[in-house]
Amino acid sequence: MAWASSNKQIIYSGIQPTGVVHLGNYLGALSNWVHLQTDYSCIYCIVDLHALTVRMDSAEFSKKCRETFAMLIAVGIDPARSILYMQSQVAAHSELAWILNCYTYMGELNRMTQYKEKSQKNEDNINAGLFTYPVLQAADILLYKTNFVPIGEDQRQHLELSRDVAERFNNVHGGVFVVPDILIPRIGARIKSLQDPEKKMSKSDKGGEGSIVYLTDEPDVIRSKIKKAVTDSDSKVSYSSDKPGVSNLLDIYAAVKRISIEETLAALGSCSYGALKEAVAEAAVAALEPIKQRYAAALSNKIQLESTMRTNAGRAQAIASGTMIQVRNKLGLL
Ligand code: TRP
């Protein structure tokens, strides 16, 4: 298999099965995942086990998992080249997570800011999974001898923990795990909310649906959301921190067109706000059209989709079991 025999370094990342993906996820993270496929052996995981920390209707959950899988294919993750799979279809994740639980301190988990935030938001369901969430994440990463983990700043603390746990295990038992490095994308655009451009575009944004462009939005919906985007009181198109709304629109244009801000300003610098919004909307519509088509195609063939899932889980499993054999040997598990 070309994948395993290549000497490329290994990239690993995970995404929650939220179903629909928005422009911020796409331009900030997923388009980077797509580009990384050129130079690395990439493994991308839909973390359905992590998602169980929050209760959800099971039919709705399956649907979201399929949608997320289809969306990753649609944006350009190639499941024949990279490994794209569902976390729960590879049992080694849960196995290693238990073992690593025994190498992680309560104090370390207590310090995790995401745990603190999430337990404040889910006061009625502060389950143990929420607490050990980062240990499962460490298991994900360490099973595959990952060199680099492309993630956002919000996940840095979790990655630090994965590194510490890997080093701790290696110190006791001799090197089994590769200690992974974080990979913060050099370019990745930080797209902001259309209604509150000081904040990042996010599903939890109070600005509501009008603040977010989903990759599956119809062209007219995209046009209308961008038309209503917050700008500022003056009318000059320029890129600066005191013009967050206009700058965000310029960022979107630059990112979907894959050009620099300088080039964007050369093209749009003398526009009125109305014309700017029109140009940004048309650029976004054009960029998302092929993604939407691929998404619909991938989702419409459920049998094919689930067979791709299974095949890829098998490829992941082959790597993960190799690591588990080493771990079991080190621990003296018979
Ligand atoms: N916790 C990550 C997030 O919420 C998702 C994730 C799970 C992940 N396992 C991972 C990311 C392994 C990178 C590597 O975004």
Side-chain angles (χ1 to χ4, degrees), residues 12-16 47 50 87 114 118 133 136-137 140-141 149-151 154-155 158:
Y12 188 98
S13 199
I15 186 170
Q16 293 263 356
V47 296
H50 278 108
Q87 185 184 34
Q114 201 164 72
K118 284 193 183 170
Y133 180 111
L136 179 59
Q137 182 163 349
D140 299 342
I141 297 167
V149 185
I151 38 177
D154 64 323
Q155 292 295 315
H158 288 168

Side-chain angles (χ1 to χ4, degrees), residues 96-123:
L96 185 61
W98 172 259
I99 293 171
L100 297 181
N101 265 326
C102 304
Y103 288 77
T104 308
Y105 298 118
M106 300 288 286
E108 288 176 304
L109 295 176
N110 257 324
R111 279 200 294 276
M112 295 291 128
T113 52
Q114 201 164 72
Y115 166 68
K116 290 182 206 164
E117 278 167 25
K118 284 193 183 170
S119 43
Q120 268 164 17
K121 277 193 213 149
N122 300 286
E123 265 188 46

Side-chain angles (χ1 to χ4, degrees), residues 26 31 53 81 105 148 152 184 199-200 260 279 308 321 334:
Y26 172 55
S31 66
T53 50
R81 179 157 55 141
Y105 298 118
F148 297 107
I184 301 269
K199 300 218 182 81
K200 75 174 185 183
S260 66
T308 307
S321 348
L334 299 180

Side-chain angles (χ1 to χ4, degrees), residues 145-190:
K145 312 269 167 148
T146 302
N147 301 105
F148 297 107
V149 185
I151 38 177
E153 273 302 331
D154 64 323
Q155 292 295 315
R156 184 187 283 279
Q157 205 184 22
H158 288 168
L159 190 81
E160 290 296 335
L161 182 81
S162 304
R163 290 171 54 89
D164 291 345
V165 170
E167 277 168 0
R168 186 169 305 142
F169 191 96
N170 285 348
N171 284 340
V172 178
H173 301 289
V176 174
F177 297 127
V178 170
V179 180
D181 279 306
I182 189 168
L183 192 76
I184 301 269
R186 253 171 304 149
I187 27 172
R190 285 169 210 281

